[in-house]
Amino acid sequence: MGESMRGEENSIPAAAPAPFVIDVEFVEEEIISPEPQEVGQAQIREPLDLPRAAPTPKGRARVVTVINQKGGVAKTTTVINVAAHLAIQGVKVLVIDCDAQGNCATGYGIDKSRINYGTRTLMVSPEDAIRARHATAIENLHLIVADRKLVGIEEELISQLGRERRLAEGIEILLPHYDLILIDTPPSLGLVSINALVASDAVVIPVQTEYFALEGLALLSSTIREIRRRLNPKLGVDAVILTMHAPTLLNGQVASQVRETFPDLVLDPPIRRNIRIAEAPSHGTPIHIHAPKSAGGQDYLHLSNSLMKLWNFGEDNG
Ligand SMILES: Nc1ncnc2c1ncn2[C@@H]1O[C@H](COP(=O)(O)OP(=O)(O)OP(=O)(O)O)[C@@H](O)[C@H]1O
Ligand SMILES: [Mg+2]
């Protein structure tokens, strides 16, 4: 068997070997010169100046967008699990999925193919906001579902006046009915994400403690500042959350960089990388129900409690 495979290998024409040249002098010069490293670190470690959000007036929901234009950093996972935990504690929560991938519905075991009114309804005909909501299996937790109908909404709205405020208009009528409206966003800073920021009191930023974590956060920060200046002066940051954290040197280094970049905004505990979190959506249940005792279950429990404290959702909700 081995012989015949080797025979086959021999019949494949050999690729021309790549020129293997090492310029020793150049390499040494690069190592000796401290400049490239200093510039890189200065750019990344400069604290990003972001204001904290003010408390919400009594009698209306706090609107919080979970955002990071980087894909796969646990935005949706955080929305699903934090919303579920708070609802179980008696907080009245509405989740609005603003990502056409529609993963929030899946995470709560809802079949989105059977839903006619969703986030698109909210943005296109705000007068139908009430009927866009759907109950979930968890008491106190409602969801406005996103699906593929949300694709193309940016083009639909592009020529309309006030296109950045459509979501804010859509949720206005819902504000007195909830304590918290939590918005999940797509991995981009397009018009739908801008709508979410304009409609919000605050943002929560999940950051994966991996290499490249901080790249792009300067862009997100300047978008938040720009929204404050032009469209929504009350927008601030509630928390930066460390996600998919592993006990490696790299993860630790990135975590300290994030803390340096967002002084006072990182909310503990970091969420550990945990397979139970990744498998929960396939069961259509949040981690508190799927595996409450797992590392991921415990981390989201404690993080949700930290957020409850931050948002002043006390015992009166229980
Ligand atoms: N702590 C964790 N441990 C292990 N897997 C995780 C953890 N958090 C999230 N995941 C998994 O990582 C993947 C990405 O998470 P998620 O979909 O929440 O990210 P996202 O930021 O919403 O992505 P997108 O930018 O595509 O919307 C999912 O498969 C999710 O189950
Ligand atoms: Mg997502």
Side-chain angles (χ1 to χ4, degrees):
M1 176 78 178
E3 279 302 312
S4 77
M5 276 186 69
R6 264 202 292 279
E8 276 167 22
E9 266 172 29
N10 288 342
S11 67
I12 300 170
F20 190 65
V21 181
I22 297 180
D23 185 337
V24 176
E25 271 182 18
F26 175 77
V27 170
E28 280 181 353
E29 225 174 74
E30 281 293 288
I31 289 168
I32 290 163
S33 163
E35 270 174 39
Q37 213 185 354
E38 275 189 1
V39 170
Q41 287 185 354
Q43 273 176 353
I44 285 176
R45 296 214 176 158
E46 191 179 298
L48 292 172
D49 179 28
L50 286 173
R52 260 197 189 281
T56 326
K58 268 217 169 317
R60 68 179 280 280
R62 184 167 193 77
V63 185
V64 179
T65 288
V66 176
I67 192 162
N68 186 339
Q69 78 272 21
K70 190 162 164 32
V73 298
K75 295 181 285 295
T76 304
T77 304
T78 299
V79 167
I80 290 172
N81 293 314
V82 168
H85 178 71
L86 266 64
I88 291 167
Q89 299 302 308
V91 180
K92 290 197 175 64
V93 188
L94 172 68
V95 168
I96 303 178
D97 191 350
C98 277
D99 185 354
Q101 295 177 94
N103 292 341
C104 289
T106 317
Y108 293 129
I110 291 172
D111 178 5
K112 53 183 177 281
S113 69
R114 294 171 51 194
I115 281 172
N116 295 319
Y117 301 101
T119 307
R120 188 180 172 281
T121 316
L122 203 58
M123 294 183 70
V124 173
S125 46
E127 64 281 4
D128 287 327
I130 297 279
R131 68 165 103 175
R133 299 170 306 160
H134 295 275
T136 67
I138 298 163
E139 205 185 339
N140 296 319
L141 178 59
H142 291 169
L143 171 67
I144 298 186
V145 174
D147 62 12
R148 266 174 286 153
K149 288 189 203 128
L150 204 55
V151 174
I153 191 137
E154 309 216 342
E155 278 149 51
E156 254 176 83
L157 294 181
I158 200 85
S159 59
Q160 300 199 9
L161 283 178
R163 58 184 173 270
E164 299 97 348
R165 297 191 187 276
R166 302 307 288 253
L167 189 66
E169 282 168 31
I171 64 171
E172 189 62 37
I173 194 175
L174 304 174
L175 293 175
H177 300 281
Y178 296 94
D179 301 311
L180 175 70
I181 295 182
L182 207 51
I183 306 178
D184 187 22
T185 50
S188 71
L189 292 176
L191 186 56
V192 176
S193 296
I194 304 262
N195 262 271
L197 294 175
V198 172
S200 293
D201 299 297
V203 297
V204 163
I205 308 172
V207 178
Q208 186 182 357
T209 56
E210 286 289 352
Y211 202 62
F212 294 139
L214 289 156
E215 296 217 349
L217 285 180
L219 176 63
L220 175 58
S221 303
S222 80
T223 303
I224 291 170
R225 280 194 294 266
E226 195 71 0
I227 301 272
R228 266 176 74 86
R229 202 173 312 131
R230 295 179 190 277
L231 294 162
N232 177 13
K234 70 178 190 296
L235 184 70
V237 180
D238 270 348
V240 171
I241 292 170
L242 303 172
T243 61
M244 297 192 223
H245 191 61
T248 68
L249 185 62
L250 176 66
N251 287 102
Q253 282 171 344
V254 175
S256 355
Q257 275 189 3
V258 176
R259 289 179 197 276
E260 283 168 35
T261 309
F262 297 99
D264 310 324
L265 288 175
V266 175
L267 193 70
D268 284 313
I271 306 295
R272 283 168 284 180
R273 184 175 278 283
N274 179 248
I275 186 66
R276 299 298 227 159
I277 293 178
E279 71 190 19
S282 66
H283 297 262
T285 53
I287 191 70
H288 310 300
I289 295 167
H290 176 64
K293 297 224 165 81
S294 63
Q298 289 295 301
D299 290 346
Y300 268 114
L301 172 84
H302 293 129
L303 182 84
S304 304
N305 285 338
S306 303
L307 284 167
M308 265 189 83
K309 217 178 269 170
L310 185 79
W311 290 328
N312 284 325
F313 297 136
E315 277 106 45
D316 51 318
N317 289 297

